[in-house]
Amino acid sequence: MSAVEEAVEIAVKAFDRNDILLAAKVDPLEEVIDELKNAMKKKHIKRLQSNKCTIEMGFVYSDLITVLERISDHCSNIAECVIEMSHDSMNMHSYLYKVKHEPIMNFLNSSKSILRNML
């Protein structure tokens, strides 16, 4: 939840201030949130298999982490629009491809650190 809260805060500030440098921080964080969601779902499956959680509670848990991940996706969309509007274009697909396939070394280092701290 703290990662999603951070993504929301950054996206709103970036939009409000029309700050592309701030907006550029959202997508790497969104990628971390995606990884967290996947890790949390895997751990949850193990809890279900060992009867440490009920199926009913599992549905609630799964819905919750899915909704949080969707919120981070919306934050990413806001940030991408801020960035693309500053370039007088709306080619978000190209921007997203670049973020996801040409990662910056700082992003890789910070995302590993964030993942370690949150798991």
Tab-separated table of all heavy atoms in Angstrom, residues 1-11 26 29-30 32-33 36 40 64-65 68-69 71-72 75 113-119:
chain	number	residue	atom	x	y	z
A	1	MET	N	0.823	-1.195	0.000
A	1	MET	CA	0.000	0.000	0.000
A	1	MET	C	0.863	1.254	0.000
A	1	MET	O	0.503	2.236	-0.634
A	1	MET	CB	-0.953	-0.017	1.194
A	1	MET	CG	-2.075	-1.021	0.977
A	1	MET	SD	-3.490	-0.889	2.057
A	1	MET	CE	-3.972	0.784	1.960
A	2	SER	N	1.992	1.197	0.710
A	2	SER	CA	2.834	2.395	0.766
A	2	SER	C	3.412	2.724	-0.608
A	2	SER	O	3.547	3.904	-0.955
A	2	SER	CB	3.945	2.248	1.809
A	2	SER	OG	4.799	1.177	1.483
A	3	ALA	N	3.732	1.709	-1.398
A	3	ALA	CA	4.247	1.970	-2.748
A	3	ALA	C	3.166	2.611	-3.618
A	3	ALA	O	3.440	3.534	-4.393
A	3	ALA	CB	4.741	0.676	-3.385
A	4	VAL	N	1.927	2.154	-3.471
A	4	VAL	CA	0.817	2.727	-4.244
A	4	VAL	C	0.546	4.160	-3.786
A	4	VAL	O	0.333	5.053	-4.614
A	4	VAL	CB	-0.449	1.847	-4.138
A	4	VAL	CG1	-1.633	2.516	-4.820
A	4	VAL	CG2	-0.187	0.477	-4.743
A	5	GLU	N	0.580	4.375	-2.481
A	5	GLU	CA	0.387	5.734	-1.965
A	5	GLU	C	1.442	6.671	-2.528
A	5	GLU	O	1.139	7.807	-2.918
A	5	GLU	CB	0.448	5.741	-0.432
A	5	GLU	CG	-0.774	5.149	0.225
A	5	GLU	CD	-0.620	5.030	1.739
A	5	GLU	OE1	0.409	5.483	2.299
A	5	GLU	OE2	-1.535	4.482	2.364
A	6	GLU	N	2.679	6.190	-2.577
A	6	GLU	CA	3.765	7.010	-3.125
A	6	GLU	C	3.538	7.306	-4.604
A	6	GLU	O	3.736	8.429	-5.064
A	6	GLU	CB	5.108	6.314	-2.925
A	6	GLU	CG	6.291	7.147	-3.356
A	6	GLU	CD	7.626	6.474	-3.086
A	6	GLU	OE1	7.668	5.459	-2.363
A	6	GLU	OE2	8.634	6.981	-3.605
A	7	ALA	N	3.102	6.306	-5.358
A	7	ALA	CA	2.824	6.503	-6.782
A	7	ALA	C	1.720	7.536	-6.987
A	7	ALA	O	1.817	8.400	-7.868
A	7	ALA	CB	2.441	5.181	-7.437
A	8	VAL	N	0.679	7.468	-6.165
A	8	VAL	CA	-0.426	8.430	-6.263
A	8	VAL	C	0.081	9.841	-5.955
A	8	VAL	O	-0.204	10.790	-6.699
A	8	VAL	CB	-1.596	8.059	-5.323
A	8	VAL	CG1	-2.607	9.186	-5.240
A	8	VAL	CG2	-2.264	6.771	-5.789
A	9	GLU	N	0.823	9.982	-4.874
A	9	GLU	CA	1.355	11.298	-4.500
A	9	GLU	C	2.235	11.882	-5.598
A	9	GLU	O	2.099	13.060	-5.948
A	9	GLU	CB	2.153	11.191	-3.199
A	9	GLU	CG	1.306	10.998	-1.973
A	9	GLU	CD	2.137	10.807	-0.710
A	9	GLU	OE1	3.326	11.191	-0.701
A	9	GLU	OE2	1.595	10.276	0.263
A	10	ILE	N	3.120	11.075	-6.145
A	10	ILE	CA	4.026	11.565	-7.188
A	10	ILE	C	3.243	11.936	-8.437
A	10	ILE	O	3.482	12.994	-9.039
A	10	ILE	CB	5.110	10.521	-7.510
A	10	ILE	CG1	6.035	10.324	-6.307
A	10	ILE	CG2	5.917	10.938	-8.733
A	10	ILE	CD1	6.992	9.143	-6.456
A	11	ALA	N	2.302	11.085	-8.845
A	11	ALA	CA	1.524	11.352	-10.061
A	11	ALA	C	0.701	12.628	-9.925
A	11	ALA	O	0.648	13.446	-10.853
A	11	ALA	CB	0.622	10.166	-10.386
A	26	VAL	N	7.277	7.803	-11.760
A	26	VAL	CA	6.091	6.975	-11.527
A	26	VAL	C	6.206	5.606	-12.190
A	26	VAL	O	5.921	4.585	-11.564
A	26	VAL	CB	4.804	7.693	-11.992
A	26	VAL	CG1	3.591	6.785	-11.843
A	26	VAL	CG2	4.607	8.973	-11.208
A	29	LEU	N	8.291	3.005	-10.411
A	29	LEU	CA	7.598	2.585	-9.200
A	29	LEU	C	6.440	1.657	-9.546
A	29	LEU	O	6.186	0.667	-8.843
A	29	LEU	CB	7.111	3.811	-8.419
A	29	LEU	CG	6.458	3.553	-7.071
A	29	LEU	CD1	7.378	2.752	-6.151
A	29	LEU	CD2	6.085	4.878	-6.425
A	30	GLU	N	5.766	1.926	-10.641
A	30	GLU	CA	4.664	1.066	-11.086
A	30	GLU	C	5.184	-0.329	-11.428
A	30	GLU	O	4.526	-1.340	-11.140
A	30	GLU	CB	3.945	1.699	-12.289
A	30	GLU	CG	2.595	1.086	-12.585
A	30	GLU	CD	2.663	-0.174	-13.408
A	30	GLU	OE1	3.590	-0.307	-14.238
A	30	GLU	OE2	1.796	-1.048	-13.227
A	32	VAL	N	7.744	-1.768	-10.020
A	32	VAL	CA	7.999	-2.393	-8.719
A	32	VAL	C	6.695	-2.929	-8.137
A	32	VAL	O	6.648	-4.044	-7.609
A	32	VAL	CB	8.673	-1.393	-7.743
A	32	VAL	CG1	8.712	-1.940	-6.328
A	32	VAL	CG2	10.072	-1.049	-8.226
A	33	ILE	N	5.636	-2.154	-8.257
A	33	ILE	CA	4.332	-2.576	-7.739
A	33	ILE	C	3.845	-3.826	-8.472
A	33	ILE	O	3.297	-4.748	-7.856
A	33	ILE	CB	3.309	-1.421	-7.812
A	33	ILE	CG1	3.721	-0.320	-6.826
A	33	ILE	CG2	1.886	-1.910	-7.540
A	33	ILE	CD1	3.012	0.999	-7.020
A	36	LEU	N	5.741	-6.631	-6.974
A	36	LEU	CA	5.219	-6.918	-5.629
A	36	LEU	C	3.921	-7.719	-5.713
A	36	LEU	O	3.719	-8.671	-4.961
A	36	LEU	CB	4.970	-5.616	-4.868
A	36	LEU	CG	6.189	-4.899	-4.321
A	36	LEU	CD1	5.812	-3.507	-3.822
A	36	LEU	CD2	6.820	-5.710	-3.204
A	40	MET	N	3.390	-11.329	-4.101
A	40	MET	CA	2.354	-11.505	-3.085
A	40	MET	C	1.377	-12.611	-3.483
A	40	MET	O	0.932	-13.388	-2.633
A	40	MET	CB	1.625	-10.182	-2.857
A	40	MET	CG	2.502	-9.137	-2.185
A	40	MET	SD	1.780	-7.492	-2.177
A	40	MET	CE	0.578	-7.671	-0.875
A	64	LEU	N	-7.931	-7.177	-3.445
A	64	LEU	CA	-7.268	-6.000	-2.896
A	64	LEU	C	-5.956	-5.705	-3.619
A	64	LEU	O	-5.718	-4.572	-4.040
A	64	LEU	CB	-7.019	-6.173	-1.397
A	64	LEU	CG	-6.307	-5.024	-0.704
A	64	LEU	CD1	-7.143	-3.753	-0.767
A	64	LEU	CD2	-6.003	-5.386	0.737
A	65	ILE	N	-5.118	-6.718	-3.791
A	65	ILE	CA	-3.835	-6.436	-4.450
A	65	ILE	C	-4.020	-6.131	-5.936
A	65	ILE	O	-3.262	-5.343	-6.497
A	65	ILE	CB	-2.780	-7.538	-4.207
A	65	ILE	CG1	-3.225	-8.898	-4.727
A	65	ILE	CG2	-2.398	-7.610	-2.755
A	65	ILE	CD1	-2.173	-9.982	-4.592
A	68	LEU	N	-5.100	-2.432	-6.030
A	68	LEU	CA	-3.944	-1.560	-5.761
A	68	LEU	C	-3.043	-1.470	-6.987
A	68	LEU	O	-2.552	-0.390	-7.332
A	68	LEU	CB	-3.159	-2.073	-4.549
A	68	LEU	CG	-3.857	-1.886	-3.208
A	68	LEU	CD1	-3.125	-2.659	-2.119
A	68	LEU	CD2	-3.957	-0.413	-2.846
A	69	GLU	N	-2.838	-2.582	-7.662
A	69	GLU	CA	-2.006	-2.572	-8.872
A	69	GLU	C	-2.668	-1.750	-9.971
A	69	GLU	O	-2.002	-1.031	-10.710
A	69	GLU	CB	-1.750	-4.012	-9.322
A	69	GLU	CG	-0.680	-4.137	-10.392
A	69	GLU	CD	-1.229	-4.048	-11.800
A	69	GLU	OE1	-2.409	-4.394	-12.002
A	69	GLU	OE2	-0.479	-3.616	-12.692
A	71	ILE	N	-4.583	0.840	-9.496
A	71	ILE	CA	-4.394	2.245	-9.121
A	71	ILE	C	-3.028	2.710	-9.594
A	71	ILE	O	-2.889	3.804	-10.152
A	71	ILE	CB	-4.552	2.435	-7.601
A	71	ILE	CG1	-6.009	2.205	-7.183
A	71	ILE	CG2	-4.083	3.830	-7.165
A	71	ILE	CD1	-6.215	2.101	-5.677
A	72	SER	N	-2.013	1.868	-9.406
A	72	SER	CA	-0.676	2.253	-9.866
A	72	SER	C	-0.628	2.367	-11.386
A	72	SER	O	0.086	3.215	-11.923
A	72	SER	CB	0.389	1.282	-9.353
A	72	SER	OG	0.352	0.047	-10.024
A	75	CYS	N	-1.924	5.749	-12.175
A	75	CYS	CA	-0.882	6.747	-11.882
A	75	CYS	C	0.121	6.809	-13.016
A	75	CYS	O	0.569	7.893	-13.418
A	75	CYS	CB	-0.169	6.407	-10.579
A	75	CYS	SG	-1.204	6.570	-9.122
A	113	SER	N	16.059	-2.727	-4.215
A	113	SER	CA	16.061	-2.310	-2.820
A	113	SER	C	14.634	-2.190	-2.298
A	113	SER	O	14.325	-2.641	-1.196
A	113	SER	CB	16.787	-0.972	-2.692
A	113	SER	OG	16.645	-0.456	-1.403
A	114	ILE	N	13.757	-1.595	-3.071
A	114	ILE	CA	12.351	-1.432	-2.667
A	114	ILE	C	11.698	-2.798	-2.488
A	114	ILE	O	11.013	-3.054	-1.509
A	114	ILE	CB	11.572	-0.576	-3.685
A	114	ILE	CG1	12.069	0.867	-3.648
A	114	ILE	CG2	10.078	-0.632	-3.424
A	114	ILE	CD1	11.560	1.727	-4.771
A	115	LEU	N	11.938	-3.698	-3.438
A	115	LEU	CA	11.351	-5.029	-3.343
A	115	LEU	C	11.825	-5.769	-2.094
A	115	LEU	O	11.040	-6.369	-1.380
A	115	LEU	CB	11.709	-5.869	-4.584
A	115	LEU	CG	10.849	-5.632	-5.814
A	115	LEU	CD1	11.453	-6.347	-7.001
A	115	LEU	CD2	9.444	-6.119	-5.581
A	116	ARG	N	13.121	-5.680	-1.809
A	116	ARG	CA	13.659	-6.344	-0.626
A	116	ARG	C	13.018	-5.809	0.645
A	116	ARG	O	12.657	-6.554	1.539
A	116	ARG	CB	15.180	-6.144	-0.555
A	116	ARG	CG	15.918	-7.351	-1.099
A	116	ARG	CD	17.411	-7.200	-0.906
A	116	ARG	NE	17.871	-6.706	-2.196
A	116	ARG	CZ	18.619	-5.639	-2.408
A	116	ARG	NH1	19.066	-4.952	-1.445
A	116	ARG	NH2	18.958	-5.250	-3.596
A	117	ASN	N	12.853	-4.490	0.706
A	117	ASN	CA	12.290	-3.873	1.906
A	117	ASN	C	10.807	-4.167	2.072
A	117	ASN	O	10.322	-4.222	3.190
A	117	ASN	CB	12.516	-2.351	1.899
A	117	ASN	CG	13.964	-2.007	2.061
A	117	ASN	OD1	14.729	-2.751	2.656
A	117	ASN	ND2	14.356	-0.857	1.546
A	118	MET	N	10.091	-4.323	0.973
A	118	MET	CA	8.645	-4.512	1.066
A	118	MET	C	8.258	-5.974	1.234
A	118	MET	O	7.183	-6.256	1.725
A	118	MET	CB	7.963	-3.926	-0.156
A	118	MET	CG	8.098	-2.430	-0.190
A	118	MET	SD	7.158	-1.755	-1.520
A	118	MET	CE	6.823	-0.143	-0.899
A	119	LEU	N	9.106	-6.880	0.808
A	119	LEU	CA	8.785	-8.298	0.972
A	119	LEU	C	9.382	-8.755	2.264
A	119	LEU	O	9.068	-9.499	3.002
A	119	LEU	CB	9.328	-9.126	-0.194
A	119	LEU	CG	8.660	-8.855	-1.536
A	119	LEU	CD1	9.353	-9.649	-2.623
A	119	LEU	CD2	7.186	-9.224	-1.493
